[in-house]
Each structure stands twice: as C-alpha cells, then as structure tokens.
C-alpha cells in the first residue's frame, strides 16, 4: 500500500540555490557526484522540506531560506536550530531530557548531497546547537564524527557559547524519574516521603506528575529546485540514558543519510533498532531501487520488526514491537513520505503550498 505524496508545484530546474549558497559552506566544494537518475525537475515551484512532527517551524524556515538562495544544508540546519533552542521541546537541544546523571548530552549529524560530505557530533554537552557544530565538522575538518569532550572543545573553538541546557522543567522530570527508580534505594519515592518536597502534607494535590520519557528527535531533509539534497538529525536522545550512550541520530546511515542521486532519509524513535538495521541508508537504497518514499519507509520498518523478533524483550507480542520508530524519506524529485510502526504519528512538510502536518503511514493498525 502506498501513501505517497506526489510532487506539488515542484521544482523548476534552476542553479540559483545550489550555486549561490555553496560559497557560504566554506570547506564544501561545488564538485557534483554522478548525474541524477531521478526524474528531472520540471515544474515551477519551490524547494521541499520534510521533518518529524515537531519540525513544522523547521521545514517552514528551511524552505524560506532555500527559496531565497541558501544551500539546502544551511536551510535544514537553520530550521532545526529553532527547535534546538526551544525549551518546550524536551527531545532536542535546550530543554532536552538529560542522561541518568542529570546531564544533557546531545547527538547530531548533517549530510550535504552534492559533495557527499557528512559531519556529526555525539555526547556533546553545554552546546545548544549540535547540528550547527556537525555542519562545522563537515565544512572545516577532514573528519566525519567528533564526540564528547572533543566535540565540546571543537564547538568552543568555533565560537559556540557554553550554555547550561538543563531547564527547570527537565531537571524536575529527571528528579522524578530518579526518585521513582526503586523503593529500595536512598532516593525516596514521593509516596515514601514523610513530607512532600514543597513542605505540604503527603497526599496534597499536585505532588505526583508523570515522568516524561522520550526517544524524540528532530530530523529534517530538503531538496532545492536544482535537485541538491541535504539533511540533518539532532536530538537529546533517549531520556535518562547511560552517560555516553549514542543513539542513531549522529550515525551516518542510521539516523540520517543522503545520496544526491536519489534523496534523503531520517529516523526518530528507538535509536538502537534503527542502528541495527542501518535504517536511513536502507530507505535511500530502497528508493534507488524504485520504491516510493512511503513504501521505502514501510519496507525498512518491516525489516526492523523482523530483526527485533530475535530479541523477545523488545516485542509486545509475536508480531508487534514494543517500541516505535518513525521514518522519513524525501526523493530528489520532491516526492516524500513517512511511516511509523503505529497509527497516530504525523510529520511536517513544506513546499510551494506552505508548511503543514500530514499523517504518517503505519505498518500496524
Ligand atoms: N532516535 C534518537 C535516539 O534513539 O537517540
């Protein structure tokens, strides 16, 4: 079953965006890979950008910037930067949920289709915009991935400010998680306390709030009117993770991948499952073999489920996994699609018709 979204007012062949913005990329050159296999861009219109459901502002910004002449890689990084700076999104950047020690550790990756260059950072602390740091890795080094303290020092060398990323809301969520871990440790659960933390009597209304939990992330891919594709993925990762845990987002081919001859893909949700199936690489390969963006996402979800059946603890029953993964695909000609394990997920897209949320296809009912 295909839920593909056909091209809308897409893409007049034009060199304006690709050429103009490459100067701003510093270390990225304009060397192109092989000739596109995808259909030529043939209708007047706009760049197209796709993202996870938390990226409506990101796709809107990305398309605005790209249509104004920016390279897609700059559009997607600037777009996700809005979400990285938003304290209310607890899955990304500032305000993201911390690791088990209460420290926010961020992962991000960026890929630039025309040069096939990638940049990535993992476990970076105290830097609000890891996607922009990943872009600096791509632009200014001969490396692909820099992690931990080295990533922080690299970011500082490039002038990124040191910032405390743990908001009060995220700190309180982490504290509730820590107190609820076990009735046998020394961190008392709220119902074990003689007094509530605010000094009111035990049982007073408002003491117990749910502990938020997320694998949430933002992925954003874009293609301009000349067929240049770029993408990035940025995240605070699995909430309350073991310090140093790296998810799929900064792994090229897992949380994000671009082949400028074919398109881009990205993932959100349980990163371990995406890594173990090379999720984004597999989506792009499937599109290269002729599957539509949505069908490519569904095929990779099926393979994730099939691989997960080998670890029974990951399954809620014989067929259905106990976790969600949402996949996003953007083809070079502007066709796009997204699929999740379960119904109810939405993704964001922007093109010449504006920015909007659409329903993801789903593997299970
Ligand atoms: N997909 C984000 C993560 O697992 O870290």
């Amino acid at each position: 079953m295909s839920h593909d979204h056909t091209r809308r007012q897409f893409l007049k062949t034009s060199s304006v965006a690709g050429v103009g913005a490459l100067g701003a990329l510093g270390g990225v050159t304009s060397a192109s890979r092989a000739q596109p296999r995808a259909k030529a861009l043939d209708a007047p219109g706009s760049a197209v950008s796709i993202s996870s459901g938390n990226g409506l502002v990101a796709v809107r910004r990305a398309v605005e910037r790209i249509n104004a002449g920016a390279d897609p890689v700059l559009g997607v990084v600037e777009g996700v930067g809005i979400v990285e700076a938003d304290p209310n999104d607890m899955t990304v950047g500032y305000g993201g949920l911390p690791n088990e020690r209460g420290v926010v550790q961020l992962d991000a990756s960026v890929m630039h289709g025309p040069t096939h260059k990638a940049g990535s950072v993992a476990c970076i602390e105290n830097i609000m915009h890891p996607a922009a740091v990943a872009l600096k890795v791509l632009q200014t080094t001969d490396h692909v991935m820099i992690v931990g303290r080295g990533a922080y020092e690299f970011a500082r060398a490039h002038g990124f400010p040191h910032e405390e990323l743990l908001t009060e809301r995220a700190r309180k969520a982490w504290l509730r998680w820590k107190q609820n871990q076990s009735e046998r440790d020394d961190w008392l659960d709220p119902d074990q306390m003689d007094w509530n933390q605010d000094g009111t009597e035990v049982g007073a209304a408002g003491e117990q709030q749910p502990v938020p939990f997320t694998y949430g992330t933002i992925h954003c891919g874009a293609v301009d009117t000349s067929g240049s594709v770029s993408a990035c993925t940025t995240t605070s990762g699995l909430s309350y993770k073991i310090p140093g845990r790296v998810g799929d987002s900064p792994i090229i081919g897992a949380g994000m991948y671009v082949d400028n001859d074919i398109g881009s893909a990205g993932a959100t949700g349980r990163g371990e499952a995406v890594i173990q199936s090379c999720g984004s690489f597999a989506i792009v390969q499937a599109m290269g073999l002729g599957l539509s963006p949505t069908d490519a996402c569904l095929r990779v979800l099926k393979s994730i489920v099939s691989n997960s059946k080998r670890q029974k603890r990951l399954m809620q029953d014989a067929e259905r996994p106990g976790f969600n993964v949402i996949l996003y695909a953007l083809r070079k000609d502007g066709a796009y699609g997204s699929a999740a394990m379960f119904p109810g997920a939405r993704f964001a897209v922007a093109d010449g018709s504006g920015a909007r949320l659409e329903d993801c296809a789903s593997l299970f009912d």
Side-chain angles (χ1 to χ4, degrees):
M1 176 173 58
S2 172
H3 296 249
D4 269 286
H5 302 260
T6 49
R7 293 175 304 147
R8 276 175 213 227
Q9 298 187 347
F10 192 64
L11 303 180
K12 183 180 179 181
T13 301
S14 158
S15 60
V16 173
V19 174
L22 278 167
L25 275 169
V28 171
T29 73
S30 59
S32 256
R33 303 182 74 227
Q35 287 301 307
R37 290 194 296 269
K39 189 172 185 300
L41 311 174
D42 56 7
S46 159
V48 178
S49 180
I50 184 173
S51 90
S52 39
N54 54 348
L56 196 58
V57 289
V59 291
R60 184 179 290 123
R61 174 67 60 85
V63 163
E64 275 169 15
R65 293 279 285 115
I66 298 164
N67 283 345
D71 189 283
V73 80
L74 301 178
V76 294
V77 169
E78 187 172 319
V80 299
I82 303 169
V83 185
E84 288 174 328
D86 179 357
N88 295 316
D89 191 317
M90 300 182 95
T91 72
V92 179
Y94 179 53
L97 288 169
N99 68 19
E100 69 178 23
R101 286 195 207 135
V103 177
V104 179
Q105 284 188 325
L106 305 176
D107 298 337
S109 63
V110 180
M111 201 158 172
H112 178 250
T115 54
H116 207 67
K117 283 189 87 177
S120 143
V121 292
C123 293
I124 190 170
E125 297 176 11
N126 297 113
I127 301 291
M128 191 182 291
H129 292 293
V133 182
L135 181 59
K136 286 286 181 205
V137 175
L138 182 160
Q139 289 175 309
T140 71
T141 80
D142 193 36
H143 303 324
V144 170
M145 189 168 201
I146 305 181
V147 307
R149 185 77 195 169
Y152 169 80
E153 288 170 3
F154 175 81
R156 296 288 291 135
H158 279 280
F160 288 84
H162 174 105
E163 298 183 84
E164 176 53 65
L165 302 180
L166 187 68
T167 58
E168 273 301 280
R169 185 168 167 229
R171 183 188 64 75
K172 285 178 177 163
W174 165 76
L175 191 60
R176 285 201 300 282
W177 170 81
K178 197 156 180 64
Q179 290 170 336
N180 280 284
Q181 279 300 96
S182 168
E183 293 183 351
R184 297 170 62 190
D185 65 17
D186 293 333
W187 295 76
L188 298 181
D189 301 357
D191 59 8
Q192 290 178 305
M193 294 179 197
D194 302 313
W195 293 94
N196 289 332
Q197 293 171 75
D198 62 3
T200 59
E201 275 187 66
V202 172
E207 173 63 18
Q208 268 287 37
Q209 289 175 36
V211 177
F213 176 87
T214 179
Y215 279 103
T217 297
I218 180 166
H219 165 75
C220 186
V223 60
D224 70 13
T225 53
S226 69
S228 285
V229 186
S230 285
C232 73
T233 299
T234 173
T235 188
S236 51
L238 169 66
S239 27
Y240 324 121
K241 59 195 171 188
I242 295 174
R245 177 262 188 189
V246 175
D248 58 324
S249 304
I251 311 260
I252 310 306
M256 185 272 322
Y257 190 69
V258 175
D259 183 326
N260 208 54
D261 294 345
I262 301 170
S264 71
T268 61
R270 181 180 158 76
E272 283 74 6
V274 177
I275 293 171
Q276 289 169 151
S277 294
C278 298
S280 293
F281 180 78
I283 295 168
V284 172
Q285 295 308 300
M287 287 197 291
L289 292 172
L291 263 65
S292 70
T294 306
D295 286 344
C297 293
L298 288 165
R299 171 180 284 189
V300 173
L301 287 173
K302 270 187 203 159
S303 101
I304 288 174
V305 172
S306 162
N307 291 333
S308 299
K309 284 179 181 171
R310 299 163 200 252
Q311 301 174 58
K312 276 199 183 132
R313 68 187 172 83
L314 296 177
M315 304 297 292
Q316 55 174 294
D317 58 37
E319 299 304 323
R320 298 158 73 95
F323 58 86
N324 205 359
V325 165
I326 309 175
L327 301 175
Y328 313 88
L330 176 63
R331 211 167 56 191
K332 186 181 180 67
D333 66 356
Y336 60 87
S338 172
M341 291 287 180
F342 305 108
R346 308 196 84 194
F347 67 99
V349 65
D351 56 16
S353 305
R356 58 196 174 274
L357 291 172
E358 297 191 12
D359 293 333
C360 301
S362 65
L363 189 59
F364 298 101
D365 295 334

